[in-house]
Amino acid sequence: MRILQARVVTLCQQLLAFGVVLAVLTPASGVVSLDIVAGDAPRAAGSAGPATLVSATVPSEAVEPEVTEVPLTTDAGNARPLAGDTVSGDSVSDSSVVSKPQAVSGFAAVGVTWENGEQLEDEEIALQVRTRTGEAWGEWQELEYHDEHGPDAGSAEALEARPGTEPLFVGEVDDVQVKASTEGTSLPDDMSVALISPGEAEGEKAEAPAIKGAAPNALQRDASATRAYEKEFEEQGGADGIVLRAARTIAQPTIFSRAQWGADERIRDASNPSYGTVNAGFVHHTVNANEYTEADVPGIIRSIYAYHVKSRGWRDIGYNFLVDRFGRIWEGRYGGIDRPVIGAHTLGYNHASFAMSAIGNFDVVQPTDEMLRAYGQLFAWKLSLHGVNPASMSQKVGKSTFAAINGHRDAGSTACPGKYLYARIPSIRQYSAEAAPAAPVGVAVSEPAPQSSLVGTPHPDLVVRRASDGQGLVLPTGGLTSFGKRAVIGKRKWNTRADVLVSPDLTGDGVVDLVTSDGRGTVRVRPGKAGGRFGNTTKKVRTTRGHALLAAVGDTNGDGRNDLVARRKGKLVLFKGTAKGGFSRKVLDRGFGNAVQLLGVGDVNSDGHVDVMARRKGSLNLYPGTGSGTFGARQRVAGTWGSYDRIIGGDYTGDGRPDLLARRTNGSLYLLPGNGDGTFGAARGPASNLRSMRFLTAGGNLLGGPGGDLVGVSGQKLMVVTNRDTFELGSPIDTGVSFAGLDLVLNAGDVNRDGLGDVLGRTPAGQLMLFTGNGQGGLAPAGVLGEGWNAVADLKAVGDVTGDGLPDLVGTLDGPKVWPGNGSGFGAASSILGRIAVSAGLPQDLSRFDWLIGVSDMQLRGGMDYVAREPSTGRLYFYNGKQSGASRARVLGEGMGAYDLAG
C-alpha cells in the first residue's frame, strides 16, 4: 500500500489562486467517465487540480487499524503523569505538560483526547505536536481542536464520547512529541495521546465505485416528502397560476463503499444505527494532509475511523460521507447511504442533518473543482430524498434555522470547513441547484446571496468608478483587522515586572528582543528565538534605575544600533545602544511629568527619522526625531484620545507607514492607520478585546505572516497574540476598462458561468453591458447584453434569489421584478410574488448614506453584509448582517469621495 508522503500539515495560511476557469457543466444526472488512472492524472494546460477519478486503489479485504494510547495526565487531574516516565521536557504543572517522545513506525497520525465531560472552549487549550526524523526535530505544529465536533449532547453516543483534537497525519517519522497548555484553567483529567496507524492491507486492487449511481426516483421516499417540497413554495408566496413541479429524486452519484476503504466492521458499535431526519447538509473538512495520492485515501479514512471509535469513543466514524480531492465520494457512517443516519459531525444538529467532510485542510489550500462538483451532486441527491430544495435558505434544524447547504462554522464557533472551502459554498449551492428541480417562476425562494469576489480571494470586493477620469477600479476587502488566539511564551511571575516591551534588535542577531524592568528600574534584555519565544537574560542595565515609562524607539541617531527612552523626574531620557552592547544615558527634554505612556512608533512623518510619542490624559503628542539622537518640539496629534488606556505603534496595514493600535478602557482594540504625515485615520475595529492584558506592546512578526503580533501579560503568563493578517480595505486595483458614460455599475457575480466574478454596467440609453472578470481584478471590454434597462428603477445585483444557482437581478418595472440569470445573461422579468428576505443589521435611518451595497460575508461566517458611504466625510462603513436588530457601524475606509459610482 502506498502511504501518505506529506510529513506534516503546514499551518502557514496562504492566499492561493481563487479564480479557476470552470469546466463546462455536466448534466447532474450523468456520470463523468474517464480512463482509470493510478495517482494524479495529467490535466490540460491551464487547468487546475487533479483529474476526476472513477476508480480507486482499494484493499482486497478489511484492514484492522491500530491505536496506541499514551497517557498525559492522571484520572485525578493536576497534570500528574500516570507513570513516572510518561512526561519529560518542560516542567509539568497543572496547566501544561509535554509528553515523552514516542517512537512510531510506518504511517502515523496523532491526536489528543481527555475525559468525558471536561469540555473546554477552543481558546482555553493549546495543543501542539512535533516530529523527529533522524536527528532533527521539526517545528511545533498546532493540533486542531474544536469543541463543536461530536455527538449531540444527551444522546446515547455522547455518554462515552471523549473531547479531543482532530487527527493530524505526520507520515513516516521516527518519534512524535505532544505538548498541551491551558489558559485560565487546569489541564483536563485523563489526557491521552493517540498514535494511529491505518493498518497494512495484504493486497490492493483498482476498483470502480461499488455503490453505482441510481437513476432519478429509483429510491423510495415517504409520500410526505413530496408534500413538504411543495409546501415550501406555498409558504413563500407560490399561488395564483403558479404550477408547482412535483418533488423528484435527483440522480444518485457513484459512491465508494465502506468495504472499499477497508472498514473493519468489528470495531464500531454493533448496535443498530440511529436515524433522524434530514433538513439540511453541512460541509466539513478533516483538517489533515493535502498532498495525498489517490491510493492514500482508504488509509486516511481508516485512520479517522479508528480515532473516532477507539480514541473519541464514538460508535462509528463521525461523517456520513467523505470526499477526496479527486472528486471521489466515500461512504462514511454505517446505516445506509439513502437513510437519515445520525452522525457525530455538527454538535447539536446531527439528528436533523447529514454531513460530508472534504479530506484535507482548507484553511491552507483551495478545494478542487472536482471536489466542489461532487459536493453539489451528493447534496442535491441526498436533500432530494427528503424533499429539501438545495437552494432553500430557510430550513428548520432543531430549534435553529439554516440554509439547506451550510458550512460547519454556520452552526458553531469553529473554523471548519476552512476559509477557502467555506468561501466556495455558493459554488456548491450552484452545482446542487443545477441538479435540483427548478424553482417555480416568479417566486423568490431565498434571501439574496451576493457573489462579490473579483480579485481571487474569499472576501467580497467593491467595484467603483474614479470621478476624475471614469476609470473602473476594484477595492478589495480582506476580512477586517483582527487578532487571534493567545499563545503562552512565558509561564510564571511575569506580573511582577514593572514594564515588559518588545524592542527592535538589541543583541545584534537581527531578531526582536524582549526588554523588562523590575520595581527598581533595572532593565533586562532577553534575545528573541524561533517560534516567538525569548531566551534567558543576556544583558542587565542598572543605569535605568529610577526611570519609568520605558519604550523602544529604534535607531535614533543612524549608528545602526537601536535605542530606548524613558522618563525620570519629568525629563525624557535616551538610552543609546553602544558598540559593546550596552547603553549610554543622555537626558533630553523637560515637560514629560504628566505623561502616562511613552511610545516608540517609528517614522510617522516620513522624514527618514524615528519619532517618539507621549500619551497624556486626553491627548497624544508627537516629538519628531532629528536623526541625531534628539527630538523636535511637541506636536499635538489630531483626534480624541481620552477613551484609550494603551496605545502602541507599528505597521499593521502593510503599507510601510506606522499605524497605531489603541485599546479602550473596556478592552476593545482599534486600529488607526497612519497617513505618513504624522496624522492618523479614523479608528477601525474593534479588532479584538484585550482587557486583561497588561504591558501590551507591539511584538513584531513573531509567529510569521506579514502583520505584526502583540505581546502582553495575562495573569502570571507572558502571551503572544497573533495577527490574523486581515484588513479592512486594500489598495485600488485598475480593472483596465473605463466606466465613463455609465449611470450604474453592479458587482454581479458569475454571470457567464466561467467561475469568475463579472461586472454589469448600464448606459443612460438603457444598454446593459457585461464586463467579464479574470479573477484578478481585471475586466474585459464590455459586451451588450440587452436594451431598455433604463426603464427599470432601483436595479440591483443580489446574487441568486430564484434558487437555480445563477446570479439574478431585481428591480422595479410595473412592480417588483426579478430577472433570472441563465448562464449567458438574464431571462425575461417575472413578478416577485413573495417578499425577498434580507438579513437585518442596518440602522433604521439611512439618510446619511448615498451608497448602500449588499456584499457577501466580510468575515466568512455566512450571510450577507453591507457597505455604506457617508458623502459628508468620504468614509465607507461596514454593517454586519444579522438575524435581527442593527449592528454597529465599523469604518471600512476613507477617501471615498474620489469615486462617483459603486457596486
Side-chain angles (χ1 to χ4, degrees):
M1 174 181 178
R2 280 180 283 178
I3 60 175
L4 189 65
Q5 299 299 311
R7 295 296 183 193
V8 292
V9 177
T10 178
L11 297 179
C12 297
Q13 298 186 346
Q14 307 167 46
L15 287 175
L16 304 177
F18 182 69
V20 177
V21 178
L22 301 180
V24 176
L25 298 176
T26 56
S29 59
V31 177
V32 178
S33 295
L34 293 177
D35 292 336
I36 293 175
V37 296
D40 291 10
R43 299 301 304 267
S47 61
T52 304
L53 301 179
V54 296
S55 71
T57 304
V58 301
S60 302
E61 57 187 24
V63 181
E64 182 178 4
E66 299 177 2
V67 178
T68 302
E69 299 284 349
V70 178
L72 279 177
T73 64
T74 68
D75 55 9
N78 299 320
R80 289 180 287 116
L82 193 64
D85 63 349
T86 301
V87 178
S88 67
D90 292 345
S91 60
V92 182
S93 71
D94 62 355
S95 61
S96 66
V97 65
V98 180
S99 75
K100 182 178 181 179
Q102 299 296 316
V104 293
S105 60
F107 182 93
V110 63
V112 175
T113 66
W114 52 88
E115 187 173 81
N116 175 278
E118 293 208 34
Q119 199 73 37
L120 300 177
E121 298 291 336
D122 291 11
E123 63 272 12
E124 287 185 302
I125 188 166
L127 299 122
Q128 294 178 297
V129 62
R130 68 174 181 171
T131 62
R132 184 183 63 79
T133 303
E135 298 299 320
W137 280 99
E139 296 294 323
W140 287 103
Q141 310 260 343
E142 184 177 4
L143 277 169
E144 292 283 341
Y145 163 65
H146 301 296
D147 61 351
E148 301 289 342
H149 291 187
D152 288 344
S155 67
E157 188 172 6
L159 294 177
E160 301 297 328
R162 290 168 61 88
T165 69
E166 302 303 311
L168 177 69
F169 291 87
V170 295
E172 291 274 5
V173 297
D174 296 322
D175 284 304
V176 172
Q177 190 174 29
V178 169
K179 65 179 178 180
S181 61
T182 52
E183 171 64 19
T185 185
S186 298
L187 285 169
D189 292 345
D190 195 20
M191 288 191 77
S192 179
V193 178
L195 305 175
I196 309 125
S197 168
E200 289 290 334
E202 293 187 3
E204 293 179 326
K205 55 186 176 180
E207 286 187 348
I211 306 173
K212 305 299 183 183
N217 290 321
L219 297 170
Q220 296 297 315
R221 299 192 294 122
D222 293 339
S224 61
T226 297
R227 178 56 189 158
Y229 189 82
E230 295 173 347
K231 186 170 183 260
E232 176 189 350
F233 295 121
E234 291 179 2
E235 291 176 345
Q236 298 189 49
D240 300 331
I242 299 299
V243 178
L244 293 175
R245 180 178 300 184
R248 62 181 176 87
T249 303
I250 306 307
Q252 176 212 309
T254 59
I255 300 171
F256 289 90
S257 68
R258 288 172 61 90
Q260 288 182 298
W261 52 261
D264 183 349
E265 303 293 1
R266 297 173 300 177
I267 72 171
R268 66 174 172 83
D269 189 330
S271 61
N272 292 328
S274 297
Y275 296 99
T277 59
V278 170
N279 296 332
F282 287 94
V283 176
H284 289 250
H285 71 157
T286 60
V287 202
N288 48 44
N290 295 304
E291 297 301 321
Y292 50 83
T293 71
E294 69 88 14
D296 292 329
V297 173
I300 291 174
I301 299 175
R302 288 199 303 274
S303 294
I304 297 171
Y305 173 48
Y307 180 65
H308 283 180
V309 175
K310 293 189 173 185
S311 296
R312 300 296 303 272
W314 302 351
R315 59 169 45 179
D316 196 349
I317 191 169
Y319 311 114
N320 301 100
F321 302 91
L322 298 98
V323 59
D324 60 35
R325 67 191 185 100
F326 308 100
R328 301 176 303 182
I329 301 169
W330 300 78
E331 180 184 10
R333 179 161 286 212
Y334 178 85
I337 62 168
D338 60 331
R339 302 192 66 185
V341 179
I342 297 176
H345 45 80
T346 310
L347 185 66
Y349 303 101
N350 295 303
H351 64 287
S353 67
F354 75 100
M356 182 157 76
S357 191
I359 298 175
N361 183 352
F362 298 99
D363 257 332
V364 177
V365 300
Q366 294 279 4
T368 64
D369 191 54
E370 289 79 9
M371 180 178 279
L372 299 176
R373 290 178 183 275
Y375 262 114
Q377 195 168 19
L378 188 283
F379 274 51
W381 165 72
K382 184 70 174 177
L383 291 169
S384 75
L385 296 178
H386 303 275
V388 177
N389 179 0
S392 171
M393 300 300 290
S394 181
Q395 292 293 123
K396 201 69 174 176
V397 183
K399 296 181 180 180
S400 302
T401 301
F402 293 93
I405 299 174
N406 311 272
H408 185 191
R409 68 174 62 180
D410 293 324
S413 300
T414 172
C416 183
K419 64 181 180 182
Y420 293 113
L421 180 53
Y422 186 78
R424 300 307 302 275
I425 286 178
S427 297
I428 294 173
R429 289 174 180 154
Q430 175 180 326
Y431 291 154
S432 293
E434 288 164 355
V441 175
V443 179
V445 298
S446 66
E447 68 181 34
Q451 301 155 323
S452 40
S453 175
L454 290 167
V455 303
T457 75
H459 303 287
D461 308 312
L462 298 178
V463 58
V464 297
R465 181 174 71 181
R466 191 163 54 206
S468 60
D469 59 4
Q471 190 66 14
L473 304 171
V474 172
L475 303 180
T477 71
L480 307 180
T481 299
S482 62
F483 291 83
K485 291 183 178 180
R486 305 177 187 184
V488 177
I489 57 174
K491 297 180 179 178
R492 295 184 178 181
K493 298 184 179 180
W494 287 91
N495 57 332
T496 62
R497 274 71 172 180
D499 247 323
V500 177
L501 63 119
V502 175
S503 170
D505 177 38
L506 298 171
T507 58
D509 60 1
V511 182
V512 296
D513 300 315
L514 189 72
V515 178
T516 65
S517 66
D518 59 23
R520 300 177 64 185
T522 299
V523 163
R524 291 173 172 82
V525 177
R526 298 169 181 255
K529 299 171 62 178
R533 295 181 178 271
F534 299 94
N536 295 324
T537 299
T538 58
K539 185 185 302 182
K540 185 183 292 186
V541 183
R542 291 187 172 87
T543 55
T544 55
R545 288 185 175 181
H547 296 69
L549 307 185
L550 194 66
V553 292
D555 183 6
T556 63
N557 59 355
D559 63 358
R561 292 182 290 271
N562 292 309
D563 311 320
L564 306 173
V565 295
R567 182 189 66 187
R568 185 172 187 271
K569 295 183 177 180
K571 298 176 181 178
L572 183 68
V573 180
L574 175 69
F575 292 91
K576 295 193 297 183
T578 65
K580 293 183 178 181
F583 294 95
S584 64
R585 180 176 177 272
K586 181 180 179 181
V587 179
L588 300 179
D589 303 318
R590 296 179 177 274
F592 288 82
N594 61 349
V596 293
Q597 184 188 352
L598 296 177
L599 295 79
V601 291
D603 179 16
V604 299
N605 58 7
S606 304
D607 64 356
H609 309 307
V610 296
D611 309 312
V612 69
M613 284 184 167
R615 180 172 66 87
R616 296 171 170 85
K617 290 184 178 180
S619 68
L620 185 66
N621 299 280
L622 169 66
Y623 296 83
T626 64
S628 59
T630 61
F631 300 93
R634 180 174 68 180
Q635 300 175 9
R636 189 180 183 92
V637 179
T640 303
W641 306 98
S643 61
Y644 300 116
D645 66 0
R646 186 76 175 177
I647 300 175
I648 58 179
D651 181 12
Y652 293 94
T653 57
D655 60 2
R657 297 193 295 257
D659 311 307
L660 298 180
L661 284 175
R663 183 180 65 186
R664 290 186 176 164
T665 52
N666 66 0
S668 297
L669 191 70
Y670 289 82
L671 168 71
L672 292 88
N675 296 323
D677 60 358
T679 65
F680 299 88
R684 274 75 155 158
S688 186
N689 190 295
L690 300 176
R691 185 174 183 175
S692 64
M693 299 286 284
R694 298 182 61 202
F695 310 126
L696 190 65
T697 179
N701 304 98
L702 292 178
L703 298 177
D709 303 315
L710 306 177
V711 171
V713 174
S714 180
Q716 295 188 35
K717 297 177 181 178
L718 185 67
M719 316 284 289
V720 172
V721 185
T722 57
N723 191 329
R724 288 198 171 106
D725 298 320
T726 51
F727 58 89
E728 272 74 18
L729 208 60
S731 300
I733 298 172
D734 194 331
T735 64
V737 299
S738 174
F739 291 159
L742 300 179
D743 64 3
L744 181 70
V745 292
L746 300 171
N747 188 351
D750 183 14
V751 174
N752 64 350
R753 289 206 310 189
D754 66 353
L756 307 173
D758 306 315
V759 172
L760 296 174
R762 186 182 64 184
T763 68
Q767 287 185 316
L768 190 65
M769 317 294 289
L770 173 64
F771 301 85
T772 57
N774 66 2
Q776 299 175 4
L779 299 175
V784 178
L785 284 184
E787 308 281 348
W789 289 86
N790 52 341
V792 181
D794 200 26
L795 183 64
K796 288 184 172 62
V798 292
D800 176 30
V801 295
T802 59
D804 60 2
L806 299 173
D808 308 313
L809 300 177
V810 297
T812 302
L813 181 64
D814 298 325
K817 293 291 192 297
V818 57
W819 286 264
N822 57 24
S824 59
F826 300 91
S830 298
S831 296
I832 299 175
L833 302 182
R835 181 177 64 88
I836 297 178
V838 296
S839 298
L842 292 170
Q844 289 186 344
D845 183 7
L846 298 172
S847 60
R848 57 189 276 215
F849 304 121
D850 64 345
W851 297 350
L852 182 61
I853 303 168
V855 297
S856 53
D857 180 49
M858 288 271 189
Q859 296 169 292
L860 307 183
R861 295 173 178 168
M864 177 180 180
D865 294 331
Y866 305 92
V867 295
R869 182 178 73 169
E870 187 177 54
S872 61
T873 62
R875 289 179 182 171
L876 195 67
Y877 288 91
F878 158 75
Y879 283 94
N880 183 27
K882 302 173 65 177
Q883 291 296 318
S884 62
S887 63
R888 179 176 296 180
R890 177 168 174 161
V891 175
L892 197 61
E894 297 177 275
M896 294 297 112
Y899 311 113
D900 59 0
L901 281 182

